[in-house]
Amino acid sequence: MSRTTNESEDVVLSKYQSESPLVDESNGGNLGGVVLKKGPWTSAEDAILMEYVKKHGEGNWNAVQKHSGLFRCGKSCRLRWANHLRPNLKKGAFTADEERMIIELHAKMGNKWARMAAHLPGRTDNEIKNYWNTRIKRRQRAGLPLYPPDLCLQALQENHQSQTNGGINVGDRGHHDPLQANSYEIPDVIFNGLKGNNDVLPYVSELPDISASNMLIKGLGSSQYYSFLPPTVHHQKRLRESTDLFPNSGVSVRNGFPMFDQFQNDACDKVVRSFGLSFPHDLDPNKSLLPFDATQGSHSLSNGNSSASKPTSGAVKLELPSLQYPDTDLGSWGSSPPPPLLESVDAFIQSPPVSAFESDCPSARNSGLLDALLHESNALGSGKHHSAEKSSNSSSVTPGAMVDDCALNICETEWEDCREPISSLSHSATSLFNECISASGSSVDEPPVAETLARSTVKLEPVESDLIPDKQKESTQQLASIRPDALLGLDWLEQSSGCVKEQAIMTDAITTLLGDDTATDYKQMASGSSTSSQGWGFGSCAWNNMPAVCQMSDHP
DNA sequence: AATTTCTTCAACCGCGGCAGC
DNA sequence: GGCTGCCGCGGTTGAAGAAAT
């Protein structure tokens, strides 16, 4: 849609110069006393610009104003040309193919709109960007994952198979074939990308060779706590939104995602994307490395204070969060409440780093949380004769080793902050979990799951396990692996607090909120997938070993 | 029918990279 | 090496239209 204004066609440009409020009087907008116009382009201006480009070709945009009499800055001209006047521009809605392409490309590249546009002839970066943002917003509002739930389930099954066959190969990447990989194993290269994306995840900068991906990324990439969640019956509004999104879809959401068929054989993609985390591939598909890219699902995630603190309702406006996270102030780290780790993860999810294969990653900033942790670890470790050295020199450290050996002890004061029940950690985790739940089909009309869960988690009310139906107990055990607090490695806190039974509350809440059917589904799926706590605990495991700002301290 | 709210997208802004001087 | 100007990119804004109330 071009919003070229039609006003008095043959614009008397001088009119704008003198009268229009849409003049750029800012620096650079006033070239030699000429006030440049801003705002919507008129068709006359378009004509002038087109004429100019015909004569002089593209480029040298700043000369446009001089030579054509167009009172627009070069930037504006370039933009207008590139987005609207350029020949061969495709107008109209994106085709299914294009949509699929965008999704794929975004998974690979993150928010590299221009690069994505290069793969979509006739489309502009702006169009793609707008499309993506709109899509994210829509799906976010709908509480839907970017990717169809059934793919999550399938991925889960496949993952289970792979786990059954090969077990979890945590930390041993030496003989790792990425293509055959455990879907959750994210190579360290991801963190190389992270290091380059300080705005997004500043806390991992300058990480030594610790396999941070083991700590963090697996948790995010892990889908157990998401994909096992039952398929859903969307409530009306959400259903409408999803059908809006995927016009071809019937009741089944799956049908609305024809474009994902090609991902069917890529469990990794499915798992990750189902969770709303898209891991950009190496541009070389053969490598199939998975630089961390998490895009969708990011709003609940990224908005650390959204879901948990407010009832989830249709009225809740889920805005795209600003990515402008304040710079980390390590100086105040020790005293400032909750380490913004998950928020940074949230931000990270929102604006995934580009593949580490891209060379344009800026250098890391030595201001990372994990960096700080490591630093402290080293300090403490040297005192305690812990093998911090080991961790810092190892390029592949198992999560367990991380905890056992790394000595990344957080001082108690820091942990005190973490314990704050309504910390951003719990918020984020709850948001995350809420995302999972809602994506699984709970509707906005349903009780606010996350809030309920959060309350459960926060209150730590003891519940007699005897009061919990067996089925729920089952679920409880399963759920223990997927609870947001578990994901955050908070298990030990509860245990140390004598609140183990609180898990039951979670299950109770889940069962209540999801309803019997879905709860049953969930239980079936859980039991069908694995009875091994390790299998189900993978996500938990990952999260338990995650940055564990929370965990690394005095864990017994 | 009027008003409000939401969605979309064109355009702007600021920043960084690069080249030329 | 520093400065300047140009270009391109990605994030954000705000007007216009659509949908909901």
Side-chain angles (χ1 to χ4, degrees):
Chain A
M1 163 171 68
S2 172
R3 290 186 183 170
T4 301
T5 60
N6 248 350
E7 53 182 282
S8 78
E9 288 311 327
D10 289 348
V11 195
V12 180
L13 290 171
S14 57
K15 170 187 170 188
Y16 290 106
Q17 297 170 42
S18 56
E19 297 177 9
S20 171
L22 298 173
V23 291
D24 186 357
E25 295 180 358
S26 60
N27 288 341
N30 189 330
L31 295 176
V34 177
V35 180
L36 299 179
K37 187 192 170 199
K38 291 168 66 176
W41 280 65
T42 66
S43 50
E45 288 175 305
D46 282 348
I48 293 172
L49 180 57
M50 289 180 76
E51 190 63 26
Y52 175 85
V53 175
K54 261 184 202 173
K55 282 184 186 172
H56 302 93
E58 297 181 46
N60 204 9
W61 296 111
N62 281 335
V64 175
Q65 188 268 327
K66 295 172 189 168
H67 298 136
S68 69
L70 201 52
F71 292 89
R72 294 279 185 170
C73 70
K75 265 186 177 183
S76 188
C77 293
R78 185 184 59 81
L79 206 63
R80 183 66 185 174
W81 174 258
N83 289 344
H84 299 281
L85 304 178
R86 187 161 51 109
N88 305 323
L89 271 184
K90 235 188 236 177
K91 298 290 183 179
F94 285 96
T95 66
D97 269 354
E98 287 174 322
E99 290 175 355
R100 175 182 48 75
M101 191 79 164
I102 290 172
I103 292 164
E104 281 185 74
L105 291 171
H106 191 273
K108 290 177 185 173
M109 304 173 179
N111 296 356
K112 299 294 177 187
W113 311 118
R115 287 178 56 194
M116 291 165 74
H119 290 77
L120 292 164
R123 299 296 186 180
T124 68
D125 54 350
N126 213 30
E127 261 182 306
I128 295 170
K129 180 172 57 182
N130 284 335
Y131 169 76
W132 185 262
N133 289 337
T134 300
R135 177 194 171 85
I136 287 179
K137 278 188 181 178
R138 263 202 238 146
R139 290 196 62 74
Q140 188 64 39
R141 268 193 303 276
L144 294 169
L146 258 184
Y147 308 98
D150 63 309
L151 290 184
C152 310
L153 299 178
Q154 194 173 343
L156 174 64
Q157 289 165 2
E158 290 176 9
N159 178 60
H160 171 228
Q161 283 180 352
S162 71
Q163 286 183 15
T164 304
N165 294 337
I168 299 173
N169 192 20
V170 175
D172 177 14
R173 293 195 303 279
H175 307 87
H176 195 70
D177 176 0
L179 289 174
Q180 303 298 324
N182 179 321
S183 302
Y184 307 103
E185 192 157 335
I186 316 298
D188 285 339
V189 68
I190 295 164
F191 261 68
N192 293 335
L194 285 180
K195 289 177 184 179
N197 202 334
N198 292 308
D199 288 342
V200 166
L201 190 54
Y203 312 105
V204 297
S205 64
E206 296 295 314
L207 266 180
D209 291 332
I210 287 181
S211 178
S213 57
N214 279 339
M215 301 194 307
L216 171 61
I217 302 304
K218 284 180 183 175
L220 281 176
S222 177
S223 67
Q224 272 92 339
Y225 51 85
Y226 173 76
S227 60
F228 82 92
L229 288 164
T232 53
V233 179
H234 292 281
H235 286 218
Q236 201 169 8
K237 181 173 180 181
R238 184 161 298 171
L239 181 59
R240 187 186 68 77
E241 292 197 25
S242 55
T243 53
D244 283 347
L245 271 174
F246 309 101
N248 297 330
S249 70
V251 173
S252 163
V253 175
R254 179 195 178 95
N255 296 335
F257 294 82
M259 71 278 281
F260 293 95
D261 288 345
Q262 76 178 78
F263 298 131
Q264 293 290 320
N265 295 325
D266 189 342
C268 188
D269 265 338
K270 283 179 287 186
V271 169
V272 168
R273 295 173 185 207
S274 296
F275 183 50
L277 302 171
S278 54
F279 287 70
H281 306 257
D282 178 0
L283 294 176
D284 175 0
N286 294 325
K287 292 180 187 172
S288 190
L289 295 173
L290 298 171
F292 192 79
D293 172 15
T295 303
Q296 194 277 337
S298 55
H299 297 150
S300 292
L301 280 167
S302 61
N303 196 351
N305 60 2
S306 62
S307 303
S309 57
K310 295 176 184 174
T312 305
S313 78
V316 174
K317 184 175 179 181
L318 290 169
E319 287 291 344
L320 279 169
S322 165
L323 299 180
Q324 296 169 345
Y325 280 71
D327 287 342
T328 306
D329 182 357
L330 281 180
S332 61
W333 227 88
S335 57
S336 60
L341 178 60
L342 276 187
E343 292 185 2
S344 62
V345 171
D346 293 341
F348 173 66
I349 288 168
Q350 165 63 26
S351 184
V354 184
S355 158
F357 298 98
E358 294 176 21
S359 59
D360 55 354
C361 291
S363 60
R365 186 174 53 192
N366 190 10
S367 61
L369 165 62
L370 291 175
D371 189 33
L373 295 181
L374 215 71
H375 180 76
E376 182 167 1
S377 159
N378 287 333
L380 293 172
S382 62
K384 294 180 180 178
H385 305 289
H386 276 239
S387 53
E389 196 179 11
K390 179 178 178 180
S391 65
S392 64
N393 290 334
S394 169
S395 61
S396 177
V397 179
T398 65
M402 282 297 299
V403 174
D404 294 337
D405 299 335
C406 196
L408 291 176
N409 293 330
I410 308 302
C411 66
E412 294 230 310
T413 54
E414 287 174 345
W415 174 236
E416 287 295 330
D417 291 333
C418 292
R419 292 184 203 211
E420 174 57 36
I422 314 185
S423 69
S424 62
L425 277 172
S426 59
H427 269 183
S428 291
T430 309
S431 297
L432 181 148
F433 197 60
N434 184 35
E435 185 79 3
C436 299
I437 297 294
S438 63
S440 76
S442 71
S443 100
V444 291
D445 299 323
E446 291 170 359
V449 176
E451 187 183 55
T452 305
L453 296 177
R455 274 201 298 268
S456 306
T457 304
V458 169
K459 288 182 179 176
L460 299 175
E461 292 173 354
V463 171
E464 291 299 329
S465 59
D466 292 340
L467 298 177
I468 303 171
D470 287 345
K471 284 185 177 182
Q472 288 187 20
K473 289 180 185 174
E474 271 179 44
S475 301
T476 300
Q477 292 171 356
Q478 305 290 359
L479 186 59
S481 301
I482 55 88
R483 286 163 26 212
D485 48 353
L487 302 178
L488 290 171
L490 294 176
D491 282 329
W492 72 271
L493 170 61
E494 293 159 13
Q495 288 163 2
S496 64
S497 305
C499 295
V500 178
K501 290 177 183 175
E502 180 267 339
Q503 291 175 355
I505 299 175
M506 302 290 291
T507 303
D508 199 17
I510 289 286
T511 307
T512 301
L513 293 168
L514 296 182
D516 289 339
D517 292 343
T518 49
T520 301
D521 287 344
Y522 141 57
K523 278 175 266 189
Q524 286 172 345
M525 293 163 57
S527 59
S529 292
S530 172
T531 53
S532 147
S533 61
Q534 189 181 14
W536 276 96
F538 189 80
S540 172
C541 179
W543 280 90
N544 280 341
N545 291 290
M546 178 187 157
V549 172
C550 313
Q551 186 172 39
M552 291 174 189
S553 59
D554 305 322
H555 198 305

